[in-house]
Amino acid sequence: MLYFCKTIRFLCFLALFSMLVSGFGQSPIGTRNHRALSLLFYRFLPAKNSLKAGEEEWSFSYTNANDFRIVMENDKTKLIENYEISRFVTEYRKAIGKRSEIFVEIPLVFRGSGFMDSVIRWWHDAIIGWDGDPRIGFSDGETRVFLEGEYDVRSGEGVGDIAVGYRYDVSDSLVLRSALEIPTGNPTELLGSGNFDFGLAIDAKFELFPRMTLLGQFALIHQGRGGEVYEAEPFARQELVALVYKAGPTTEWVLQWSRESSPTRTGIEGIDEPHRLLTFGYRRYYSNGTWMEIFMSENGDFLYSTLPRILGIGPDVTFGLRYGGIKN
């Protein structure tokens, strides 16, 4: 009942936004939590600017995320997540009416040892000043996603789960979306969940100042159970708040905070908490109708010890870029 009440309050909060704004211009950065277990299931990216009748948009993104965590219980290894993920996503949107769109997302995932381990180890030691970095003692070339008694996989590559969806603009400032994710990824390599996911999302915008926009998102996803992950939660919840500053006619800076439920239930304290990330981004629009955004997400090197409810549980570092354009 408490979970339901919180959800209703958040929806009312977003609905109030829609009554106060005039346009869905600026948009958040199109990224999500790239923890390997989270990527098994569908998550909504923040809604982008709406398309006009007859328009279509292609976009291509590259995201690289390096993650490491280890949990020991009674001198026995309970969980290891040590990998680097490179994820390429092709997205297509097409307006099918005055306020309606359809969209498709096709991910290609590469999970391996990557190239960032030594850089992150140096960062933790020289800049952050960690004395007990858990990466010490682990080879830079190691890749493993392990939970005792459930799964133990190494590297993997291939197509992930493909998603299709529908969008309806209730107004210029309030957007509703639905999405269905299809189990096209190989679940034995943790490239897909092995089942269908279905989600609903609401996005809204509030214009704070002439150049400053506040955007919010709430989503609820039904996670299909299957594949190698036995303890997947039946439902996952997403929230996002973003500030977009329009620095000039063609440039925007974005600061956004996102939170989502843990996709699985491990029984390990801390790991099953909601996942929270802070993302910094820059977007530029070009005269030919194309745009590009670059971004970096942080899971708590600076703020976790002082603000643990704000950041935590996500890749050590995530960075990426996204390029797209609209055609009439």
Side-chain angles (χ1 to χ4, degrees):
M1 180 60 70
L2 180 61
Y3 177 84
F4 178 77
C5 291
K6 287 183 177 179
T7 299
I8 294 299
R9 286 201 300 269
F10 199 88
L11 290 175
C12 292
F13 173 70
L14 291 182
L16 178 62
F17 272 3
S18 68
M19 298 163 55
L20 301 173
V21 300
S22 57
F24 206 90
Q26 298 151 314
S27 60
I29 293 294
T31 188
R32 55 174 291 184
N33 191 313
H34 276 68
R35 183 188 171 205
L37 272 294
S38 295
L39 291 177
L40 294 180
F41 304 96
Y42 187 72
R43 296 292 185 267
F44 284 94
L45 299 180
K48 292 189 285 187
N49 299 340
S50 60
L51 298 176
K52 298 177 182 177
E55 289 184 334
E56 60 180 4
E57 180 187 63
W58 287 92
S59 66
F60 307 91
S61 65
Y62 159 69
T63 307
N64 201 81
N66 186 292
D67 200 6
F68 181 93
R69 57 179 52 84
I70 181 170
V71 177
M72 305 288 294
E73 290 185 358
N74 300 321
D75 296 325
K76 186 177 182 180
T77 303
K78 179 74 174 178
L79 177 143
I80 296 177
E81 295 180 9
N82 182 14
Y83 54 80
E84 190 163 303
I85 286 179
S86 295
R87 189 168 181 261
F88 301 83
V89 180
T90 300
E91 299 172 72
Y92 173 73
R93 295 195 296 152
K94 182 176 178 60
I96 58 173
K98 187 176 181 180
R99 291 187 176 273
S100 299
E101 300 175 15
I102 56 173
F103 60 89
V104 180
E105 301 171 4
I106 305 174
L108 186 61
V109 182
F110 297 85
R111 186 182 64 250
S113 58
F115 62 92
M116 297 174 62
D117 281 339
S118 59
V119 176
I120 294 174
R121 189 179 291 110
W122 168 83
W123 174 268
H124 286 164
D125 179 51
I127 306 300
I128 304 300
W130 283 6
D131 295 327
D133 190 337
R135 289 174 177 267
I136 297 174
F138 280 80
S139 170
D140 288 352
E142 188 169 341
T143 304
R144 194 177 184 189
V145 187
F146 164 77
L147 178 64
E148 183 185 25
E150 190 163 346
Y151 49 81
D152 188 1
V153 299
R154 303 288 176 163
S155 59
E157 59 184 52
V159 176
D161 287 348
I162 296 173
V164 295
Y166 172 79
R167 164 175 169 159
Y168 179 73
D169 287 42
V170 178
S171 68
D172 291 340
S173 57
L174 185 67
V175 172
L176 301 178
R177 290 178 293 161
S178 62
L180 176 69
E181 190 169 70
I182 305 166
T184 51
N186 185 346
T188 61
E189 293 188 4
L190 294 188
L191 298 176
S193 67
N195 208 331
F196 291 88
D197 295 348
F198 177 75
L200 298 171
I202 179 172
D203 298 78
K205 168 198 164 184
F206 176 63
E207 198 170 297
L208 294 176
F209 306 105
R211 291 193 176 189
M212 182 75 72
T213 304
L214 177 66
L215 301 106
Q217 179 196 59
F218 174 83
L220 188 65
I221 298 98
H222 173 60
Q223 300 187 150
R225 301 187 182 190
E228 299 295 303
V229 180
Y230 311 135
E231 300 299 330
E233 295 282 21
F235 291 95
R237 173 179 161 183
Q238 282 182 269
E239 294 111 5
L240 178 142
V241 178
L243 279 172
V244 182
Y245 174 68
K246 192 172 183 63
T250 61
T251 58
E252 295 173 353
W253 292 93
V254 183
L255 173 65
Q256 71 187 42
W257 175 83
S258 58
R259 176 189 183 275
E260 64 181 59
S261 309
S262 175
T264 61
R265 184 61 53 184
T266 66
I268 302 173
E269 186 178 358
I271 301 299
D272 295 339
E273 292 181 358
H275 298 1
R276 301 170 293 270
L277 291 176
L278 196 63
T279 298
F280 308 88
Y282 168 81
R283 183 183 296 114
R284 183 174 181 84
Y285 298 94
Y286 299 95
S287 58
N288 61 355
T290 62
W291 51 267
M292 182 186 70
E293 57 188 30
I294 58 175
F295 55 88
M296 184 201 71
S297 297
E298 164 63 37
N299 81 322
D301 279 353
F302 296 111
L303 298 175
Y304 182 70
S305 59
T306 54
L307 297 172
R309 307 303 298 177
I310 300 298
L311 297 175
I313 310 298
D316 281 345
V317 64
T318 304
F319 64 85
L321 60 89
R322 200 173 179 212
Y323 178 81
I326 296 176
K327 294 182 179 180
N328 294 317

